[in-house]
Amino acid sequence: MNKVAVIFWSGTGNTEAMAAAVADGAKAAGAEAALLTCAEVNDISAYDAVALGCPAMGAEELEESEFLPMLEGIEPALPGKKVALFGSYGWGDGEWMRTWEARCAEKGIALAAASVTANEAPDDDALAACRALGAALTK
Ligand SMILES: Cc1cc2nc3c(=O)[nH]c(=O)nc-3n(C[C@H](O)[C@H](O)[C@H](O)COP(=O)(O)O)c2cc1C
């Protein structure tokens, strides 16, 4: 069975709600999905696909105390896997996600689906997009 890791950081629950929807979408499409916080990530070699979720923090940056160190640890293992990004933002225009996508390209990480962003709490459309992202990672 296809194994999907959904790894997220969330301060106030918005990206966490998106992560749960990504995992639901992957399971509904027939995959085995693991919903993991940064601290729960160790060896990702067991997974065929990885969905990564982090809100816009700092000044259009990824969260730097837990998410970024975890990301730096797993990035060398991501090229060749199915990878997709998601996360919530507030007052910005999504710049953090564009910067994150460029970072993936620099590291040879091809994205398997369009990134999903939500302004603050994900609405029904954003949750549906998250479920579709999870499903896309199972193919
Ligand atoms: C310390 C901090 C920095 C933030 N920086 C940005 C930012 O640069 N751009 C932006 O659009 N939103 C920013 N936000 C807003 C969050 O991205 C937004 O509230 C998001 O929904 C939080 O997601 P979460 O509930 O998963 O933590 C920031 C929030 C905090 C607490």
Side-chain angles (χ1 to χ4, degrees):
M1 186 185 279
N2 216 313
K3 291 186 75 172
V4 179
V6 182
I7 303 169
F8 71 95
W9 185 93
S10 185
T12 55
N14 296 331
T15 304
E16 182 171 11
M18 297 175 79
V22 172
D24 283 350
K27 284 180 199 162
E32 190 181 311
L35 193 56
L36 305 170
T37 62
C38 297
E40 291 169 330
V41 176
N42 43 45
D43 182 15
I44 64 151
S45 65
Y47 297 97
D48 307 295
V50 181
L52 295 164
C54 184
M57 295 295 286
E60 300 297 334
E61 291 161 323
L62 295 170
E63 194 281 326
E64 65 181 9
S65 67
E66 294 176 283
F67 191 82
L68 195 55
M70 178 284 301
L71 181 66
E72 287 168 346
I74 66 169
E75 270 172 340
L78 292 179
K81 289 191 191 296
K82 289 190 172 176
V83 177
L85 312 179
F86 63 93
S88 175
Y89 65 100
W91 51 85
D93 71 347
E95 181 187 341
W96 108 105
M97 183 57 78
R98 295 193 294 278
T99 303
W100 191 6
E101 290 169 340
R103 177 190 176 104
C104 288
E106 280 166 20
K107 293 179 185 293
I109 299 162
L111 298 176
S115 308
V116 178
T117 59
N119 188 230
E120 299 293 352
D123 61 13
D124 288 348
D125 286 351
L127 292 173
C130 288
R131 285 192 291 272
L133 184 147
L137 289 178
T138 72
K139 296 198 182 96

